[in-house]
Every structure is written in C-alpha cells, then in structure tokens.
Amino acid sequence: MRSVIRWAIERTASMNVLMVAILLIGAISAMMIRREEFPRFDLEIILVTVPYPGASPDEVESGICLKIEEAIRSIEGIKKITSVAMEGSGSIVIEVRSDAPNVQKVLSDVESEINRIPSFPDLSEDREIRQLTMRNPAIIVREW
C-alpha cells in the first residue's frame, strides 16, 4: 500500500491527468444518464349530465342522481361516484379504477345501465354520457 502512495506522490503529473480523466468521464456519464419522471398520472372519468329544466336541487337529486347512482353502483371497475345536483341539471362524476382492464367496457356498462332506468322525470332532457381522460405527469422535473 505504501508503494502505491509513494508512486502517486512521485508522479504528480500522472495523478493530475488521471483526476481530469475521471472528472471528464463523470461529466459525460452525468449528461448521458437516463432520467425518469414519476409515472404519468392517468385519470379516467365518465361524466353523466342530465338537464332537468326548472327543477330544484332536491328534485334533481331524488329524480336523477340517486337513480343513476343506484343503477351503476354494481358495475365492476368503478372507483368512486360523485353526484352534483344543482338547479336545472344533475351531474354524476364516475371515477374509473386505474387497474380497470377496459375503460370502454365500463363506459358501455354505465350507458346500458342508465338506459335501463325507466322512471326519469318527464321534463328531464336527453342525458349526455362522455368519457374524460386526463393524462398529466404527476410531477414536472426541471433542469437548471
């Protein structure tokens, strides 16, 4: 061990060249290193909107929201159901589980279950069922 240290002390120029080479290899490696962000945050949402002109929020809740919630509750692949009853319309936000194999199947199941509901109020208008897909990175890493 002492002979290696003595050799390094006696050959300072060689040690300086070795140190510069190590720094250059490190800098090149740092620039070429693979950088990964956090996984993408995929959020699949099905939005059901039913206009009910002239109805109060209580009427919308009982006539539309509760019926839709009960009809779709048993569908496989649904993570969360949130209803919003406001004056003149009702909206149901259905969050699909991230491990659901086929979001389109969940969407078609939701549509068929809603179409089977026989007792919507007479004044309610045609319902709109659509899929919203949000694909945003969970975090953004910026280099300075």
Side-chain angles (χ1 to χ4, degrees):
M1 184 66 156
R2 287 185 174 184
S3 62
V4 173
I5 295 172
R6 183 176 296 127
W7 181 84
I9 291 172
E10 291 172 358
R11 292 169 180 81
T12 56
S14 299
M15 288 296 102
N16 287 339
V17 169
L18 182 63
M19 181 182 67
V20 169
I22 290 172
L23 289 174
L24 282 175
I25 290 171
I28 292 170
S29 297
M31 295 173 106
M32 295 175 59
I33 196 166
R34 182 176 170 190
R35 294 179 198 101
E36 291 186 19
E37 294 180 7
F38 285 94
R40 294 185 64 90
F41 179 71
D42 297 343
L43 184 62
E44 301 284 349
I45 292 177
I46 298 171
L47 180 63
V48 181
T49 307
V50 182
Y52 188 6
S56 69
D58 290 334
E59 291 172 326
V60 172
E61 181 182 12
S62 63
I64 294 172
C65 295
L66 292 177
K67 291 178 182 180
I68 293 176
E69 283 182 17
E70 288 188 25
I72 64 174
R73 184 168 299 168
S74 62
I75 295 176
E76 189 68 30
I78 292 178
K79 179 179 179 181
K80 184 179 177 184
I81 302 170
T82 306
S83 296
V84 178
M86 53 196 140
E87 190 170 332
S89 74
S91 297
I92 294 86
V93 179
I94 305 160
E95 188 176 332
V96 180
R97 287 195 333 238
S98 59
D99 62 344
N102 190 351
V103 178
Q104 292 301 319
K105 182 182 181 316
V106 176
L107 177 65
S108 66
D109 289 347
V110 167
E111 280 187 75
S112 64
E113 288 296 325
I114 290 174
N115 290 333
R116 287 187 193 147
I117 299 173
S119 58
F120 276 125
D122 292 334
L123 295 176
S124 67
E125 296 177 0
D126 290 338
R127 52 203 160 268
E128 180 184 358
I129 303 170
R130 60 185 169 160
Q131 177 185 0
L132 304 174
T133 304
M134 296 179 207
R135 299 198 190 290
N136 294 324
I139 189 170
I140 298 173
V141 179
R142 299 196 189 262
E143 296 179 28
W144 297 100

